[in-house]
Amino acid sequence: MKPGIHPDYRPVVFRDKAADFAFLTRSTLTSTRTVEWEDGNTYPVVDVETSSASHPFYTGTARVLDTAGRVERFERRYGRKPEAR
């Protein structure tokens, strides 16, 4: 790697306030706010709107759309005739 052109890669706390969830990882993001972590050290903190603790896909609350049923209902409603073979 070329020296002096890469951003600083260091530990950062990401905090999801909606789910009251935080995790420590490494990142190049910077922040002026800090938080004291469980290990007693102080790290920069970045607030995020969605994390794995609050995203519907990961929490199991995602809705599944029935696209096949919608197509069939459309065809019944507007009278699409089956193709002649």
Side-chain angles (χ1 to χ4, degrees), residues 1 10 14-15 18 25 30-31 33 35 43 56-57 74 81-82:
M1 289 192 323
R10 64 184 182 297
F14 287 90
R15 180 173 52 193
T25 188
T30 59
S31 177
R33 291 173 289 162
V35 66
Y43 299 106
F57 179 79
F74 177 84
K81 297 177 184 173

Side-chain angles (χ1 to χ4, degrees), residues 19-32:
D20 194 29
F21 176 71
F23 58 95
L24 177 66
T25 188
R26 295 181 59 86
S27 178
T28 59
L29 287 177
T30 59
S31 177
T32 57

Side-chain angles (χ1 to χ4, degrees), residues 58-69:
Y58 294 106
T59 60
T61 58
R63 296 184 298 166
V64 177
L65 296 177
D66 179 21
T67 56

Side-chain angles (χ1 to χ4, degrees), residues 16 18-23 50-56 58-59:
D16 182 357
D20 194 29
F21 176 71
F23 58 95
T50 305
S51 71
S52 60
S54 63
H55 193 279
Y58 294 106
T59 60

